[in-house]
Amino acid sequence: VLGFADDTTAATRMQWAQEVEAAVLAIMKEFGEEVHPGKTERMRAGPREQTLPEGYIRAAKLVGCWVGCDGGTQEDTNARLKAAGQVWRKLRSQIPGWRLSARLSGRVVQSAVIASLLYGCEIRPFTVAEERRYQRLLNSIARYLTWRPARGGIREMQGSRTMADLRKELGWKTVHE
């Protein structure tokens, strides 16, 4: 069991969880601190499918990253992609009016969308599936930023432009670089 409240964290076995929590409360009281009951969370380690006891959660935000009861980061990936998608949707409607080059548009997106997507990720591992999800979002943004209409509104095809070509045009690297 991982229990935390305010800036205090305690890890213990399930059978000792109540005793450890009581000990933490007593120690904090000795130092003149009070643990806020509304901010106290308990997470039991184990498979996501397990039935959780009353008052336990499946994921907790620790050091800026969501960690699941199974040790995974699925919640963190979902939250980051959602937040970066919201930033992108706001920017997407404004960028065409700014009449920026593809490279400069790429810099704007990099400083806003990519920064919000990857902020604090230095501390967590990524699965290949998570990297793919991040890269898929960035690829769709790259396609939008480098799209050029030709006569008749059909996308201008200059040979076979790969995603590597589009990233190079924007001055971007892949997610894992």
Side-chain angles (χ1 to χ4, degrees):
V1 172
L2 180 66
F4 54 97
D6 297 327
D7 293 332
T8 304
T9 305
T12 185
R13 296 191 176 273
M14 187 70 176
Q15 68 237 30
W16 302 320
Q18 289 179 341
E19 291 86 6
V20 169
E21 193 171 319
V24 168
L25 290 171
I27 291 168
M28 294 296 282
K29 191 172 185 175
E30 285 181 30
F31 285 99
E33 298 290 331
E34 184 178 332
V35 177
H36 190 282
K39 293 183 178 178
T40 302
E41 302 282 357
R42 294 165 200 86
M43 183 172 66
R44 181 178 180 185
R48 296 187 73 62
E49 302 78 35
Q50 76 180 347
T51 304
L52 294 177
E54 176 97 20
Y56 283 75
I57 56 174
R58 292 202 188 284
K61 192 167 190 175
L62 299 169
V63 195
C65 177
W66 284 93
V67 178
C69 60
D70 60 354
T73 53
Q74 180 181 10
E75 287 85 359
D76 190 60
T77 296
N78 293 341
R80 288 177 184 281
L81 287 169
K82 182 179 178 182
Q86 289 172 338
V87 172
W88 168 237
R89 281 189 293 283
K90 289 178 183 177
L91 266 180
R92 184 179 175 165
S93 62
Q94 297 174 9
I95 286 179
W98 297 341
R99 303 204 187 290
L100 302 173
S101 67
R103 186 169 281 279
L104 201 49
S105 294
R107 295 291 303 225
V108 169
V109 168
Q110 194 170 19
S111 66
V113 179
I114 297 175
S116 73
L117 182 66
L118 299 178
Y119 179 77
C121 283
E122 304 88 9
I123 63 166
R124 64 162 275 203
F126 284 92
T127 64
V128 172
E130 288 173 329
E131 274 190 25
R132 264 192 235 117
R133 289 182 65 197
Y134 278 54
Q135 194 64 59
R136 192 170 30 241
L137 172 67
L138 298 180
N139 289 350
S140 69
I141 293 171
R143 282 190 291 273
Y144 177 84
L145 293 176
T146 57
W147 182 85
R148 291 194 264 316
R151 290 183 213 127
I154 299 172
R155 182 182 176 143
E156 177 184 309
M157 296 300 285
Q158 299 174 345
S160 298
R161 291 179 9 160
T162 64
M163 285 311 302
D165 296 331
L166 301 183
R167 282 193 298 272
K168 185 176 180 182
E169 185 178 334
L170 295 169
W172 289 0
K173 296 178 181 178
T174 60
V175 169
H176 62 280
E177 290 181 298

